[in-house]
């Protein structure tokens, strides 16, 4: 690098690697989040392939003689996908897009922003260190007591403790991130950007941040209690010495149910940016959508015990009713999206395809979830593959398709180059087929009684064909990442130049260059509605 | 908002982009309300409240499922273990003599008062008063921590002695850790105050630290009421 030049701009220049390691720019941190999350996505995906390979046929093949590794794989698959892929991935998009959308130069606390990012790889390493220190955590991502306790036939060894420490670190990163998002959204909006002119993604990140802020610390306290139980002879979760095993489930799900909305609300926000742009219409019912988001956030705190119906120690009618209630604001959003598309001028670009994938798959995930909200049905389906199917329809069919939609949509803004449409469509088709081939048969597997978290099953149980189909589907999903990686690789080198606003979009991030300069804007268009760029293009302002 | 937008952005719709307004992206902090650091601290305290809520929920859950609280420990068959159990039962009865806890409470409440006196001092630009008050606050905080350590040494039960011991040390221990964190923040603020970095117009860090200190104080009052009295 040139060090002889005397201009002040050049003296601030740092080498590429050093710049990325020390940056406090929300855009660079956002990209770091996204890249980091994708690495963990591929890692946890490989673990899933291990699980699916084992389950392709009855009998033990892959894990013959090493059965505990199977438990470690499904535990770490769940933990890594949730805590190191989906949540940080959405936080990464939020990090990149939210300050741009509200016309801010950066996040409110840029250095804390960098801190919360760098805690993630550290926490991830702690989590994975278990594999080389005698076995990773193996009590499932839910780590129920007494499975997670340090005693024979449960979780001896350091893996579970590393899991706890890693998650405390990642949780702290989440909390600091949410403080940062809330302060940014409340205090850093550009002049004219009132709350009800904020883009929907910003709204969903706001509600998500409230959920993270209020729920994650409870999980941290639960993790610390488990740590004390395991290492200092505590008695929180051990009924034989006066503790309460259900207590773990309560504090765990008090976080982990709202965490479901943490994992899906920003993805809903992302497709709510994409559907209007590719339908050439405003979002149908902007305010209804905002209130529905807030409603999901509020109701999200009153449904956690629907994971615990079969424990017999929660008040079933209340939690069942609240769970049905939370389907109402979700249903409102469905109508928002469908009527946005209705009579729109649809352009079937890759972002729209993935957004439609979200819409349809999340609908299935919502409906099969509503079934489980009915207590008698849940008693039959609890801990079966039905639940595995439901959660993947919500978190893969929902969140991951949303993330892919967002990636194709904002990649031009982040890099200045378009992702290839052809490869994008190949990826979408492969992923959509693979996803449904993997997870749709699991409904039937669950209904016919196949329990979660088993490595082996009887060959005459009638589960052979569906399991084989699911395994083929799993490998199809894995194959769908190849066109994605190739697409990113060639597009970064020779993709079509995007320009400022390749999609003719509505929100402020498209008012600046692609990629945006440090501090984002040197000027802002006037903000008179939630679609300032539409107003700018058409020289008029809406009546909001 | 409309009036603000016409001030801060440029001109009429349709032409605004053509003009250049370098301050447009930077003018966000000038709209009144609380400052970013104080808002950040309030939000962080919200999350801390939820953290302690989790610990309190665990305490009440364990306590509710216990037959007797404080628990009566049953010994084995030999005399030694019966004596040990009786001693432990005796030690668990914090309610009998909550005086030391009460003294700690008074110390922490006074420290909150001196902290607030420091805030009022810096708000009227009285740097000496501010430094004096925060110095006293820091000393009281350290006295509290020493007192808590002394309390621990005399209690006669450990973290692994029944759920009572587990909950007691977890709750008070994490509170103590928060007091320690608060003391570090007070030290930093005091150091910066001695360096003359704060004035009536510029003391967000002081306000944020005092909010945190008050929070730690309130948590202790809840802890003392629950563990020593209730």
């Amino acid at each position: 690098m040139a060090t002889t030049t005397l201009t002040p701009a050049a003296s601030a220049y740092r080498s590429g690697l050093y710049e990325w390691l020390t940056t406090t720019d929300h855009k660079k941190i956002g990209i770091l989040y996204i890249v980091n999350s994708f690495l963990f996505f591929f890692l946890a995906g490989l673990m899933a392939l291990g699980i699916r390979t084992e389950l392709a046929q009855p009998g033990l093949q892959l894990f013959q003689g090493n059965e505990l590794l199977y438990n470690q794989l499904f535990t770490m698959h769940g933990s890594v996908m949730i805590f190191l892929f989906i949540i940080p991935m959405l936080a990464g998009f939020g990090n990149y897009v939210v300050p741009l959308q509200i016309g801010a130069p950066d996040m409110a606390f840029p250095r804390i922003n960098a801190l919360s990012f760098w805690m993630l790889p550290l926490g991830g390493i702690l989590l994975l260190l278990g594999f080389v220190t005698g076995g990773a955590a193996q009590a499932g991502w839910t780590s129920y007591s007494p499975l997670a306790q340090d005693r024979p036939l449960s979780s001896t060894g350091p893996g579970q403790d590393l899991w706890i420490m890693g998650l405390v670190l990642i949780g702290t990163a989440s909390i600091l991130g949410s403080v940062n998002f809330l302060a940014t959204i409340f205090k850093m909006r550009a002049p004219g950007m009132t709350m009800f002119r904020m883009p929907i993604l910003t709204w969903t990140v706001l509600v998500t941040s409230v959920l993270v802020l209020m729920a994650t610390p409870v999980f941290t306290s639960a993790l610390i209690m488990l740590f004390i139980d395991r290492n200092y002879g505590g008695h929180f979760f051990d009924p034989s010495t006066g503790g309460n095993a259900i207590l773990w489930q309560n504090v765990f799900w008090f976080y982990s149910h709202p965490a479901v909305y943490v994992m899906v609300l920003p993805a809903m926000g992302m497709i709510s940016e994409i559907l209007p742009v590719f339908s050439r219409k405003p979002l149908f019912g902007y305010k209804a959508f905002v209130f529905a988001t807030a409603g999901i956030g509020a109701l999200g705190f009153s449904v956690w015990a629907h994971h615990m119906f079969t424990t017999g120690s929660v008040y079933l009618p209340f939690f069942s009713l609240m769970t049905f209630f939370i389907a109402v604001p979700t249903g409102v959003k469905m109508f928002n999206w469908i009527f946005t598309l209705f009579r729109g001028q649809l352009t079937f670009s890759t972002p729209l395809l993935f957004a439609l994938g979200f819409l349809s798959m999340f609908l299935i995930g919502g409906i099969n979830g509503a079934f489980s909200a009915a207590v008698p049905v849940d008693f039959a389906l609890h801990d079966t593959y039905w639940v595995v199917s439901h959660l993947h329809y919500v978190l893969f069919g929902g969140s991951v398709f949303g993330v892919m939609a967002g990636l194709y949509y904002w990649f031009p803004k982040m890099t200045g180059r378009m992702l290839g449409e052809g490869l994008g469509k190949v990826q979408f088709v492969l992923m959509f087929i693979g996803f449904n081939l993997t997870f749709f048969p699991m409904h039937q597997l669950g209904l016919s009684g196949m329990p979660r978290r088993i490595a082996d099953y009887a060959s005459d149980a009638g589960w052979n064909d569906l399991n084989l189909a699911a395994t083929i589907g799993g490998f199809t999903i894995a194959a769908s990442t190849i066109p994605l990686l190739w697409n990113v690789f060639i597009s970064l080198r020779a993709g079509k130049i995007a320009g400022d606003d390749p999609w003719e979009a509505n929100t402020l991030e498209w008012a600046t260059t692609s990629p945006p300069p440090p501090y984002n804007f040197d000027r802002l268009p006037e903000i008179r509605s939630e679609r300032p760029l539409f107003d700018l293009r058409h020289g008029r302002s809406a009546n909001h | 908002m409309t009036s603000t937008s016409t001030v801060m952005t440029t001109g009429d719709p349709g032409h605004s982009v053509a003009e250049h307004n370098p301050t447009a992206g930077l003018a966000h902090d000038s709209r009144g309300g609380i400052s970013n650091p104080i808002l950040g601290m309030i939000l962080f305290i919200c999350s801390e409240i939820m953290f302690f809520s989790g610990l309190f929920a665990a305490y009440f859950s364990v306590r509710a499922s216990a037959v007797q609280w404080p628990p009566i420990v049953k010994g084995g068959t030999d005399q030694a273990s019966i004596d040990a159990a009786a001693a432990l039962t005796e030690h668990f009865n914090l309610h009998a003599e909550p005086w030391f806890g009460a003294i700690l409470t008074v110390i922490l409440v006074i420290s909150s008062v001196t902290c607030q006196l420091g805030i009022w001092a810096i708000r009227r630009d009285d740097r000496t008063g501010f430094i004096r008050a925060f110095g006293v606050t820091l000393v009281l905080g350290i006295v509290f921590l020493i007192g808590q350590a002394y309390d621990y040494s005399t209690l006669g039960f450990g973290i692994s002695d029944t759920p009572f011991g587990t909950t007691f040390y977890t709750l008070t221990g994490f509170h103590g850790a928060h007091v320690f964190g608060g003391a570090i923040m007070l030290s930093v603020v005091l150091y910066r105050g001695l360096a003359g970095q704060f004035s009536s117009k510029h003391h967000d860090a002081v306000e944020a630290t005092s909010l945190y200190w008050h929070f730690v104080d309130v948590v202790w009052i809840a802890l003392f009421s629950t563990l020593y009295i209730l």
Side-chain angles (χ1 to χ4, degrees), chain A residues 105 187 189 194 235 522-523, chain B residues 1 17 21 25 28 34 61 160:
Chain A
K187 296 288 297 177
R189 278 172 286 128
T194 60
H235 304 288
D522 55 359
R523 57 188 179 274
Chain B
M1 272 325 26
V17 155
N21 180 359
H28 307 277
I34 51 176
S61 161
S160 58

Side-chain angles (χ1 to χ4, degrees), chain B residues 141-191:
Chain B
I142 293 169
V143 168
F144 174 88
L145 284 172
I146 295 169
Q148 203 180 22
Y150 173 75
D151 197 24
Y152 278 9
S153 72
T154 60
L155 282 172
F157 59 90
I159 193 168
S160 58
D161 289 327
T162 82
F164 188 89
T166 309
T167 49
F168 180 86
Y169 282 105
T170 307
L171 267 70
T172 55
F174 270 93
H175 175 264
H178 280 75
V179 174
F180 185 71
I184 290 175
M185 288 160 71
L186 285 171
S187 312
V188 171
V189 163
L190 208 53
Y191 177 80

